[in-house]
Amino acid sequence: MPRASDETRPEILQAAYKLFRRRGFFRVGMNEIADAAGVTKRTLYYHFDSKDALLTAVLASQHERTFADFQNYGIDLSGGAAELIDKLFEGLVKWSSKPRWAGSGFTRLAIELADLSGHPARSIARQHKALMERHLETLLAEANVPTPKARARELFLLIEGAMVMILIHGDQSYCTAAADAAKRLVADGSSPPMS
């Protein structure tokens, strides 16, 4: 029995996400995605007119999931900024402990597409990272951290940097170092506000 169209599209998105995440955008072909999704290439192109359109849809779908998960950070925080920082980096340790962890898919794809500045997937990655940073700013403001916008930018850099260093070295102690640096930034709060 053929699958309904409303079931097929999410299955294609999930198969493409897994392949793009594991092997990158350029190393995965449409035939491989169709095979992984259990559909014909014709069905794949019925839902997505190009590989670029498919990647854009994959990132849009992942953005919704990731942001929903990230919004849970900060809920019921009673210990303030230090507890938020601990929770963020403990989450990164847990996430990076998963088998075949490959860091942030948004970051990896933005780097892979670095020479294609107008690619729609880069636009989604940029929007995703900006929204995550703004949410972090909100959490820091709720924790009464001075200059939350500047602190959110610095904390976001520490998170992204820790992910890259874990990927390079396979050493999760970068999370501890980044969390310690973040706590010093939040405690100091002396840098000028961002323009």
Side-chain angles (χ1 to χ4, degrees), residues 29-57:
M30 293 296 267
N31 286 333
E32 192 174 359
I33 294 167
D35 289 346
V39 299
T40 64
K41 196 169 175 183
R42 181 178 176 173
T43 298
L44 178 60
Y45 277 106
Y46 170 80
H47 289 280
F48 304 97
D49 62 359
S50 69
K51 188 174 158 187
D52 291 320
L54 175 57
L55 175 62
T56 301

Side-chain angles (χ1 to χ4, degrees), residues 126-153:
R126 188 171 34 257
Q127 292 168 15
H128 171 76
K129 294 294 185 175
L131 185 61
M132 300 288 271
E133 187 176 321
R134 283 194 306 273
H135 184 63
L136 192 52
E137 177 186 347
T138 299
L139 293 174
L140 292 172
E142 289 170 358
N144 298 314
V145 171
T147 60
K149 184 174 184 174
R151 295 295 83 77
R153 169 89 23 120

Side-chain angles (χ1 to χ4, degrees), residues 24-143:
F25 176 70
F26 291 113
R27 293 182 7 203
V28 174
M30 293 296 267
N31 286 333
E32 192 174 359
I33 294 167
D35 289 346
V39 299
T40 64
K41 196 169 175 183
R42 181 178 176 173
T43 298
L44 178 60
Y45 277 106
Y46 170 80
H47 289 280
F48 304 97
D49 62 359
S50 69
K51 188 174 158 187
D52 291 320
L54 175 57
L55 175 62
T56 301
V58 164
L59 287 182
S61 171
Q62 287 304 310
H63 163 71
E64 292 171 14
R65 284 187 191 147
T66 304
F67 186 66
D69 288 345
F70 189 67
Q71 285 179 306
N72 290 328
Y73 285 105
I75 294 175
D76 297 326
L77 275 179
S78 58
E83 184 175 341
L84 171 63
I85 290 167
D86 284 340
K87 190 171 183 181
L88 285 169
F89 286 100
E90 286 166 6
L92 180 53
V93 167
K94 183 177 178 181
W95 182 38
S96 64
S97 297
K98 292 183 177 182
R100 297 174 65 140
W101 179 76
S104 166
F106 290 93
T107 301
R108 288 180 53 232
L109 284 166
I111 291 169
E112 188 174 355
L113 302 170
D115 61 335
L116 302 172
S117 62
H119 196 287
R122 289 209 37 211
S123 176
I124 290 174
R126 188 171 34 257
Q127 292 168 15
H128 171 76
K129 294 294 185 175
L131 185 61
M132 300 288 271
E133 187 176 321
R134 283 194 306 273
H135 184 63
L136 192 52
E137 177 186 347
T138 299
L139 293 174
L140 292 172
E142 289 170 358

